[in-house]
Amino acid sequence: MFGLLAFIVFAWALNWVVMKIAVQELSPLWAVAIRTVVAVAVLIPGVALSGQLALPARGDVPIVLVISLFHMTAFAVLMTIGLKYLPAGRAIVLGYTTPLWVAPTAWIFLKEPLPLLRLVGVALGLGGVFVLFDPARFDWGSRETVIGNGLVLLSALCWSISIVYTRAHRWIGTPFQLIVWQTLLAAIVLIALASVLEGKPNLSLSAPAIWSLIYNGAIGTALGFWAMMMVNKELPATVTSLSVLATPVVGMFLSALVLHEQIDLPLVIASLMITTGIAMGVLRRN
């Protein structure tokens, strides 16, 4: 299960790098919508060939709605719109502040234990996020900056709702069976939003942009969300969200490697804090 967690971190971290390539030629909401359509195109034949393609049971309708609307749609849309106002690196780390919301919510509603070691791990991991966040560098007098930060933090809240509910849900079908319907619903909603807010998409794309969307849809979305549901189903919500904090750090290193962005001292310090916090949270699962 921890292998799947590592795959999620790397796949979603690389998502930011390839999405940056895609949005240079395609508007943000259409980029998210198209990658979700690609994910549907990958998932339907895969689930059908496995013999598991079936309508979700009535008891699984809530989990289809929650993951589709809160994670695949709301998180992606709010994060993408927030990127219009914030630098990508800052938006990434803000978007991955989910433990700030998940830890107390899981403790209150799921009765998940919150031992001292995990509390320290969460605090250390969030401390690393705030090192990257660096609020002193924000222009708090700018309306756009405040809106951008608010939207991205709201996206993190939407994701945390998905994580906690996934852990609490009494599953009838498997995550593999349900992800088709979650992704299909998200694709429909995203296409509608993109059509209303951005008009017709630009489909004259270069090869790198096309490959970026294919990666986003097939690996980052289809396989990534399936793996995330499997992890959420088996591991405590706080452990999952704490581990996913590694994603922005890995993403920044991949950005430096692929896009030649600079790695500075705050990134190194934050990386050490976050990875140490992850280790502390994972070592104490109960």
Side-chain angles (χ1 to χ4, degrees):
M1 195 55 61
F2 287 104
L4 275 180
L5 200 53
F7 165 77
I8 292 166
V9 169
F10 183 82
W12 284 358
L14 187 57
N15 252 353
W16 291 98
V17 177
V18 297
M19 181 56 82
K20 187 171 183 178
I21 296 172
V23 295
Q24 290 175 351
E25 302 179 31
L26 192 63
S27 57
L29 292 183
W30 272 117
V32 176
I34 291 174
R35 80 176 186 188
T36 308
V37 171
V38 171
V40 174
V42 170
L43 287 167
I44 289 179
V47 176
L49 288 173
S50 72
Q52 299 186 58
L53 185 61
L55 290 172
R58 181 176 297 181
D60 277 335
V61 170
I63 193 66
V64 171
L65 293 174
V66 168
I67 292 179
S68 178
L69 299 180
F70 281 92
H71 193 179
M72 294 183 175
T73 302
F75 172 80
V77 168
L78 292 170
M79 173 64 80
T80 305
I81 296 175
L83 281 170
K84 292 174 60 178
Y85 304 107
L86 300 178
R90 187 171 297 165
I92 292 171
V93 297
L94 274 177
Y96 283 88
T97 56
T98 50
L100 185 67
W101 310 101
V102 170
T105 305
W107 178 65
I108 294 171
F109 293 102
L110 304 183
K111 308 303 180 184
E112 286 191 1
L114 209 57
L116 179 61
L117 186 61
R118 186 176 297 165
L119 277 173
V120 174
V122 170
L124 189 60
L126 287 176
V129 170
F130 281 112
V131 168
L132 293 175
F133 175 43
D134 192 6
R137 297 174 60 187
F138 281 13
D139 180 9
W140 295 108
S142 168
R143 182 172 176 270
E144 290 188 349
T145 298
V146 174
I147 291 174
N149 282 289
L151 289 174
V152 177
L153 284 173
L154 184 57
S155 75
L157 175 59
C158 290
W159 189 3
S160 71
I161 292 171
S162 174
I163 291 175
V164 173
Y165 186 81
T166 299
R167 182 68 175 156
H169 180 71
R170 295 184 178 181
W171 293 72
I172 299 173
T174 66
F176 189 55
Q177 290 173 320
L178 298 181
I179 193 172
V180 170
W181 308 107
Q182 293 158 352
T183 312
L184 179 61
L185 176 59
I188 293 170
V189 174
L190 286 165
I191 289 172
L193 286 172
S195 299
V196 171
L197 298 177
E198 296 180 345
K200 294 181 179 180
N202 169 35
L203 297 179
S204 300
L205 304 176
S206 67
I210 293 172
W211 281 112
S212 296
L213 292 171
I214 291 174
Y215 172 86
N216 267 272
I219 307 298
T221 302
L223 292 181
F225 277 111
W226 168 80
M228 190 64 183
M229 283 192 296
M230 292 295 294
V231 167
N232 282 338
K233 186 180 177 183
E234 300 297 331
L235 297 180
T238 304
V239 170
T240 302
S241 58
L242 180 63
S243 300
V244 173
L245 274 176
T247 303
V249 177
V250 176
M252 288 184 178
F253 277 110
L254 288 174
S255 296
L257 180 64
V258 177
L259 303 175
H260 308 292
E261 296 181 354
Q262 183 180 2
I263 298 177
D264 54 16
L265 183 59
L267 175 58
V268 175
I269 295 173
S271 300
L272 292 174
M273 293 176 68
I274 291 172
T275 53
T276 303
I278 290 169
M280 295 172 69
V282 171
L283 287 174
R284 183 65 183 269
R285 292 181 55 186
N286 298 309

